[in-house]
Amino acid sequence: MITGLDHVVVLTGDIAAASAAYETLFARTPSWRYSGGGADRTLFTLDNTTLELVAPRGDDDAAQRVRSALATQGEGLASLCFRTSDIAKTHRRLDRLTLKPEPVAEVESRDETSGAVLSWKRTRAATDATRGVRMFFLERAQERPLSVRTTTASITAMDHVVVSTADPERAAALYGARLGLDMALDRSHPEWGRLMFFRCGDLVVEVTHRPGKSETDAPDRLRGICWRVADIDATRARLIAAGVDVSEVRTGRKPGTRVMTVRNGTCGVPTLLVQPSQGKPD
């Protein structure tokens, strides 16, 4: 049913500032800009997925819903959009799984710079059925253009997106049995709790649980993103020169990896950069 993570949505109150911040972080230009549905949108398309920045525009009902979401949760990660090759079959499966999908909608956008047009079909599962995480499912008619690298030491791809849960068994049933993602890891540790990795195309949905932090009926939440880099030392030097606050490089939990934390310039999204064990400089 699901072939990959098509994109993640990040809400922001200032689309220009957010776009500039992510252009600095990624060292890549926006791949698509358009307005519609009560919002201004800027997309950055990396090697395996897209980050979509969304800010309210206008005063219609759609814009007010975006403003309401910003007022409720603040800037940050707002939703996941999974890619599928057959939206009609996906919709039927979601319905059978009692995820209460909305009717399939056909959507089109025109890039404000090039004038090119993209079209897709999408549906959305009911948030109460997905344990509080907003989930969309999308079938694209065309591929998006990639974001162009502006310098070396750029961000290459997403490594994983993090979902926190108060009920790991129900979360495992949702992402594994119901959505059909392959569980690649299920590990517990007395210090950091339980980790579950679900493969989703060329990246991972990481579900985390820390015992005693919340009631089991608390909703799941999108927590953060980890991006891949080829040379973490060069990326750190580039970001420091651009005025971005980053941590020292440290050894990652996965053997052979090196990681660092980005402390600002992410629109409130907790952000980690990782150099994979087989990473090579640009």
Side-chain angles (χ1 to χ4, degrees):
M1 180 177 67
I2 292 171
T3 59
L5 184 63
D6 186 82
H7 66 274
V8 296
V9 174
V10 173
L11 290 183
T12 178
D14 187 332
I15 195 72
S19 299
Y22 270 94
E23 190 163 356
T24 296
L25 175 64
F26 290 152
R28 299 175 77 151
T29 60
S31 60
W32 201 263
R33 299 180 193 263
Y34 73 104
S35 298
D40 288 323
R41 304 167 189 270
T42 299
L43 280 62
F44 290 87
T45 298
L46 307 186
D47 294 357
N48 63 354
T49 195
T50 293
L51 180 137
E52 179 179 357
L53 299 170
V54 176
R57 177 189 178 95
D59 296 312
D60 61 12
D61 290 345
Q64 293 305 326
R65 285 194 293 272
V66 178
R67 289 191 179 91
S68 177
L70 272 170
T72 300
Q73 69 178 57
E75 288 193 322
L77 271 173
S79 59
L80 303 177
C81 183
F82 295 104
R83 187 171 183 179
T84 179
S85 59
D86 190 326
I87 195 68
K89 287 184 179 179
T90 297
H91 189 275
R92 290 194 294 272
R93 177 174 169 81
L94 293 172
D95 190 46
R96 289 198 302 270
L97 294 170
T98 67
L99 292 175
K100 298 179 282 187
E102 295 178 349
V104 173
E106 297 190 15
V107 186
E108 183 178 280
S109 76
R110 184 181 300 274
D111 179 49
E112 65 181 35
T113 301
S114 68
V117 174
L118 291 174
S119 57
W120 61 94
K121 299 176 182 178
R122 75 175 182 207
T123 185
R124 175 187 171 187
T127 304
D128 62 347
T130 55
R131 298 195 46 79
V133 174
R134 287 164 50 91
M135 291 186 190
F136 293 81
F137 302 83
L138 177 151
E139 178 188 343
R140 277 198 255 141
Q142 311 94 359
E143 294 297 322
R144 297 190 193 99
L146 286 174
S147 290
V148 176
R149 288 175 168 83
T150 58
T151 185
T152 57
S154 62
I155 306 299
T156 60
M158 182 184 289
D159 190 78
H160 61 272
V161 60
V162 182
V163 178
S164 68
T165 184
D167 191 332
E169 296 305 328
R170 289 187 180 180
L174 171 62
Y175 291 94
R178 300 175 81 187
L179 295 182
L181 302 183
D182 176 38
M183 180 184 279
L185 177 73
D186 185 357
R187 181 175 298 166
S188 296
H189 190 279
E191 292 185 6
W192 38 257
R194 185 175 176 183
L195 289 178
M196 293 178 285
F197 290 178
F198 295 90
R199 296 194 187 280
C200 186
D202 184 32
L203 55 86
V204 165
V205 177
E206 177 182 312
V207 179
T208 67
H209 171 248
R210 294 192 175 186
K213 294 295 182 181
S214 58
E215 300 296 329
T216 57
D217 59 351
D220 294 353
R221 297 186 62 186
L222 293 171
R223 282 298 188 189
I225 299 176
C226 179
W227 302 102
R228 294 177 194 152
V229 300
D231 184 337
I232 200 165
D233 296 306
T235 302
R236 184 174 186 272
R238 174 180 66 78
L239 291 173
I240 289 174
V244 180
D245 185 10
V246 296
S247 73
E248 296 290 335
V249 175
R250 59 190 183 275
T251 301
R253 285 179 182 168
K254 184 177 179 180
T257 62
R258 303 173 70 216
V259 302
M260 72 177 178
T261 302
V262 181
R263 300 190 180 111
N264 68 346
T266 63
C267 299
V269 180
T271 298
L272 194 71
L273 304 185
V274 60
Q275 178 181 310
S277 55
Q278 299 302 313
K280 297 179 180 179
D282 288 350

